[in-house]
Amino acid sequence: MPKKVKPAGDGKEEGPVPCKQVKVEAAGGPSPLNLDSPSGLFESLISPIKTETFFKEFWEQKPLLIQRDDPVLATYYRSLFRLSDLKSLCSRGMYYGRDVNVCRCVNGKKKVLNKDGKVHFLQLRKDFDQKRATIQFHQPQRFKVFILQLEGEKHWRLYHPTVPLAREYSLEAEDRIGRPAHEFTLKPGDLLYFPRGTIHQADTPSGLAHSTHVTISTYQSSSWGDFLLDTVSGLVFDTAKADVELRAGIPRQLLLQVETTAVATRKLSGFLRMLADRLEGTKELLSADMKKDFAMNRLPPYYLGDGVELSTPGGQLPGLDSTVRLQFRDHVVLTVGPDQDPSDETREKMVYIYHSLKNRRETHMMGNEETESHGLRFPLSHIDALKQIWNSSAISVKDLKLTTDEEKQSLVLSLWTECLIQVV
């Protein structure tokens, strides 16, 4: 079985990690989830397991099953989303494929039963009742905030991965994956984690009308391999400036050859060794896309409260005599990269700041072509001043490492206008 954490009757956890009791007055009352910050939300999600314990013992290593057995907590999660909520959401305009998939398992393979166009709740309910279909509701965070097993029960079977931390969906035949390594039933309020690549099956136990649960998929494109691909282009960009060999042309006809020649392979191997040596002494890696994509595709801060608008800054205007601090740190990234201005032929390095404060929840992760990045760009000469702001709880504008007072004022005004800093 995966590691189980289950509070005992006296409120103490059976296991190595002390149980932190969560008080919930009633469904619709105070949330048992900490919405003050992303890290606080995650910690309350996996409670009573501590964040450090989770990443040390379970993350990308083995499954974790948290069975809370708390009827009050279960009632709270049932209230967050129900099958009946789909009726009102359908009336708002949802479409097959984009918002909803209807599918079922036939002879061990997934079969999609989608219709064309707009989703109608009566048809959805018919497929669910008569065909025992599974309704997959995509990106529900656009409409609700909810997680975990919500309604009914779900019987799970986990199998050892054929490819650990696999990036692709497993196509192994059912008779080749062997017996389940873990088998259990999730009830409302329970949480299950398993590493990417874990082969899994789930079904609603007989006798139950339906089951509602949420799958949170994360870190799909955040491996060391992804990071290497993201940073190697910037490393080559820098190295080519200093090494004429990287600026020399490749042999004629090389691109027309079917197989790579031994000469080309040896040349590339030498370049890779040279890049590895250069990387050892590098402090500033140029991120091509990962940091930008992270900010572009992140939800805006949830914990701002209803009615808070981030399109315009608030509070006191910063000046030379002000003390400022960074805000929304978990939603802001700072990176260095080549100038993206197509009119600048010199391609000098620039400092880029990307954030998710103005991202739209209703289009989150929907592949919308209108998705845009929000942020600022500064000359590389501003990097030390920006690091001061990033690394300080608060800093005087006068103390920023810039040449002139005008540069200092311009920097903090730009950050304030983008709602990234506040005067303290």
Side-chain angles (χ1 to χ4, degrees):
M1 285 291 290
K3 168 71 176 181
K4 294 174 66 174
V5 176
K6 183 175 181 179
D10 59 359
K12 297 181 180 178
E13 177 196 343
E14 296 176 345
V17 183
C19 175
K20 182 178 180 180
Q21 287 296 305
V22 180
K23 183 179 180 181
V24 185
E25 294 182 2
S31 170
L33 301 178
N34 180 353
L35 301 175
D36 291 339
S37 68
S39 58
L41 173 60
F42 181 75
E43 185 169 336
S44 62
L45 170 63
I46 63 171
S47 176
I49 290 289
K50 298 298 183 183
T51 301
E52 298 79 10
T53 303
F54 174 79
F55 283 104
K56 181 180 179 180
E57 298 184 12
F58 300 100
W59 175 250
E60 295 190 336
Q61 298 174 62
K62 59 185 178 182
L64 168 66
L65 172 62
I66 300 178
Q67 294 180 312
R68 297 190 169 98
D69 195 22
D70 184 336
V72 179
L73 188 63
T75 300
Y76 175 83
Y77 285 114
R78 286 192 197 101
S79 72
L80 293 175
F81 189 86
R82 302 173 186 270
L83 177 65
S84 57
D85 289 338
L86 278 178
K87 184 174 183 179
S88 62
L89 291 175
C90 285
S91 67
R92 295 168 60 172
M94 295 201 301
Y95 291 83
Y96 287 104
R98 186 194 73 177
D99 301 302
V100 169
N101 269 344
V102 179
C103 56
R104 61 175 301 188
C105 184
V106 178
N107 298 324
K109 295 184 179 180
K110 177 180 176 179
K111 182 178 181 181
V112 179
L113 307 175
N114 286 353
K115 306 294 188 293
D116 293 325
K118 202 170 184 179
V119 176
H120 296 282
F121 180 74
L122 291 180
Q123 180 63 53
L124 209 61
R125 187 78 210 202
K126 181 179 178 182
D127 289 337
F128 182 81
D129 292 335
Q130 297 182 7
K131 299 179 181 179
R132 304 302 295 168
T134 294
I135 301 172
Q136 297 175 332
F137 178 30
H138 300 316
Q139 307 303 336
Q141 71 278 4
R142 294 175 291 151
F143 307 100
K144 291 270 190 175
V145 179
F146 62 92
I147 34 192
L148 311 179
Q149 179 74 25
L150 306 180
E151 285 186 301
E153 299 178 3
K154 185 74 77 172
H155 180 235
W156 286 81
R157 293 176 295 279
L158 305 184
Y159 301 81
H160 291 300
T162 53
V163 179
L165 301 180
R167 300 180 67 114
E168 294 81 24
Y169 184 79
S170 174
L171 297 177
E172 292 282 355
E174 193 165 356
D175 59 353
R176 295 185 59 186
I177 60 178
R179 296 176 60 84
H182 311 291
E183 191 165 1
F184 45 85
T185 299
L186 285 186
K187 298 180 180 179
D190 292 349
L191 177 140
L192 168 67
Y193 161 79
F194 51 79
R196 187 175 67 252
T198 302
I199 300 173
H200 53 279
Q201 297 173 333
D203 57 71
T204 303
S206 59
L208 292 180
H210 68 274
S211 171
T212 307
H213 76 278
V214 175
T215 300
I216 304 173
S217 179
T218 184
Y219 252 57
Q220 294 298 315
S221 301
S222 299
S223 68
W224 279 111
D226 294 308
F227 189 59
L228 179 62
L229 287 173
D230 184 64
T231 56
V232 73
S233 60
L235 187 61
V236 173
F237 175 83
D238 274 352
T239 308
K241 283 186 173 183
D243 195 301
V244 67
E245 281 195 85
L246 281 173
R247 302 198 300 271
I250 61 176
R252 291 178 294 111
Q253 306 296 314
L254 177 63
L255 299 181
L256 297 177
Q257 297 177 12
V258 177
E259 295 181 349
T260 305
T261 65
V263 173
T265 301
R266 284 196 298 273
K267 195 75 170 178
L268 290 174
S269 297
F271 285 145
L272 288 174
R273 283 189 286 270
M274 178 178 64
L275 291 173
D277 291 339
R278 183 182 179 92
L279 183 61
E280 290 289 340
T282 299
K283 293 183 178 180
E284 301 287 352
L285 286 176
L286 305 187
S287 174
D289 296 304
M290 284 185 75
K291 286 191 172 184
K292 180 179 179 180
D293 290 345
F294 176 76
M296 282 180 61
N297 294 304
R298 188 162 201 182
L299 282 168
Y302 172 80
Y303 44 91
L304 290 174
D306 294 334
V308 176
E309 180 60 60
L310 285 178
S311 60
T312 56
Q316 182 182 343
L317 186 75
L320 193 61
D321 296 322
S322 301
T323 297
V324 299
R325 71 172 180 87
L326 183 70
Q327 59 180 353
F328 307 114
R329 184 180 298 272
D330 290 326
H331 294 267
V332 188
V333 296
L334 184 152
T335 186
V336 175
D339 193 349
Q340 299 172 8
D341 185 353
S343 64
D344 187 354
E345 296 181 358
T346 61
R347 296 280 287 170
E348 294 296 328
K349 290 183 186 177
M350 300 290 290
V351 183
Y352 291 91
I353 296 174
Y354 300 107
H355 64 81
S356 63
L357 306 189
K358 300 177 183 177
N359 290 358
R360 299 172 59 198
R361 178 175 293 272
E362 59 269 24
T363 58
H364 180 246
M365 297 299 291
M366 292 304 294
N368 194 316
E369 294 181 359
E370 298 179 0
T371 300
E372 60 178 328
S373 60
H374 302 285
L376 300 164
R377 63 195 286 269
F378 298 99
L380 190 60
S381 59
H382 285 49
I383 185 65
D384 289 336
L386 287 166
K387 286 181 178 179
Q388 286 179 280
I389 296 173
W390 251 250
N391 297 329
S392 303
S393 57
I395 187 168
S396 170
V397 176
K398 286 182 179 179
D399 293 336
L400 293 176
K401 295 179 180 179
L402 287 169
T403 306
T404 67
D405 289 345
E406 288 75 15
E407 286 179 319
K408 297 174 183 180
Q409 288 182 298
S410 177
L411 173 62
V412 295
L413 183 60
S414 296
L415 295 172
W416 179 81
T417 302
E418 204 72 8
C419 305
L420 300 180
I421 63 171
Q422 63 179 178
V423 177
V424 295

